Amino acid sequence: MDRLYDNIDEAKAFVLSFTNFAYDYDDQNLDDFYVITCEKCRKRHQYRDYLYPKSSCKKPTAILSTYDFGVSCELRDELIEKFDVTEDDFRPIYTKKGELVYYQITPQNVMEPIYKENDWYVTSVCPQCGAIQYGSDRIGDWYYNEKREPFAFISQNALDNMHDLNISYERFLRYSANYVISRRLYDFLTERYPRTHYFPLFLKEAEDSTENE
């Protein structure tokens, strides 16, 4: 990681926060890949695989221009081979010529809720489809330590029911979710790619040992 938390050894899971950016084609927009599923709240559903130029997919990990996350074909295969990860946890990304160049991370395991551990509350409920958004009084819905590094909390129940790759139960602004990885997957990725970046999740019981403002 480019910055290490002093108490990183106490973290039990981690939220993906890749910093390398992969750019799609200039003549694309979200309407090429998403369909509106609720006219009231404008909630979207991805119905088509993303298209990205090969030149943009050179790093092993990246945040996509759609604010999803992606990995190289080689890393995706290695994660399936070594971890509690399946083919369904990824969606292929092609060039306009149909060449497979990258994979979008699409975790299928939904975590147990952790909104109580983080004092997140319901900010809106769509009256038409019932979609729920969470938020908090803190900027970005995170706690911060004295170095202004963000973190959050996880319950023991959520930790016990995690896979190595997960999506949060809670949806936030624009119905975006957090992608959460296990400690052992974090250890593997940071050893292999030391400049990747993540936000730690600590057990709620460990709150006293985590300095926050």
Side-chain angles (χ1 to χ4, degrees):
M1 294 174 65
D2 51 354
R3 293 188 305 164
L4 288 176
Y5 294 71
D6 292 338
N7 57 344
I8 201 68
D9 290 341
E10 299 175 19
K12 303 301 182 182
F14 296 82
V15 175
L16 294 184
S17 181
F18 298 154
T19 54
N20 177 63
F21 209 81
Y23 294 91
D24 58 6
Y25 293 99
D26 292 337
D27 58 351
Q28 292 180 173
N29 58 58
L30 284 180
D31 292 338
D32 295 326
F33 306 98
Y34 282 82
V35 61
I36 299 296
T37 59
C38 178
E39 292 295 335
K40 182 69 175 180
C41 66
R42 308 299 292 175
K43 187 177 178 181
R44 296 173 178 265
H45 171 72
Q46 184 181 349
Y47 72 93
R48 181 186 176 197
D49 298 328
Y50 289 147
L51 301 177
Y52 273 72
K54 189 174 183 178
S55 60
S56 187
C57 300
K58 294 182 178 180
K59 300 290 185 179
T61 63
I63 182 172
L64 307 177
S65 55
T66 54
Y67 297 100
D68 298 293
F69 296 98
V71 296
S72 67
C73 298
E74 294 76 16
L75 180 55
R76 174 260 192 186
D77 292 345
E78 195 167 11
L79 296 183
I80 292 175
E81 177 184 353
K82 296 182 177 180
F83 295 92
D84 179 21
V85 176
T86 72
E87 294 182 359
D88 291 337
D89 290 318
F90 303 92
R91 189 166 184 157
I93 297 175
Y94 300 97
T95 66
K96 285 186 175 181
K97 295 181 179 180
E99 180 181 3
L100 176 65
V101 290
Y102 220 52
Y103 276 92
Q104 176 189 354
I105 298 176
T106 55
Q108 297 303 298
N109 185 61
V110 181
M111 288 178 56
E112 297 292 324
I114 58 173
Y115 60 86
K116 292 182 180 179
E117 284 71 25
N118 292 284
D119 298 320
W120 295 327
Y121 53 82
V122 174
T123 57
S124 67
V125 179
C126 177
Q128 181 167 309
C129 71
I132 299 174
Q133 290 188 141
Y134 286 85
S136 77
D137 296 325
R138 299 182 302 277
I139 298 175
D141 303 317
W142 296 97
Y143 296 91
Y144 288 86
N145 63 15
E146 60 185 5
K147 295 182 179 180
R148 300 302 298 165
E149 296 165 326
F151 64 91
F153 291 109
I154 189 172
S155 67
Q156 186 65 56
N157 185 57
L159 187 63
D160 291 342
N161 289 282
M162 276 182 56
H163 291 188
D164 284 317
L165 185 59
N166 313 267
I167 189 170
S168 65
Y169 166 84
E170 294 84 4
R171 298 289 176 131
F172 303 96
L173 185 65
R174 299 184 184 88
Y175 302 98
S176 63
N178 288 329
Y179 293 166
V180 181
I181 62 173
S182 66
R183 177 82 209 201
R184 70 172 189 147
L185 181 50
Y186 162 84
D187 289 339
F188 169 81
L189 290 173
T190 52
E191 180 179 358
R192 184 73 63 86
Y193 312 108
R195 293 192 64 82
T196 51
H197 193 232
Y198 311 85
F199 297 146
L201 293 173
F202 299 97
L203 275 179
K204 186 63 174 179
E205 292 75 11
E207 182 175 2
D208 293 339
S209 65
T210 307
E211 295 186 21
N212 59 293
E213 299 181 353

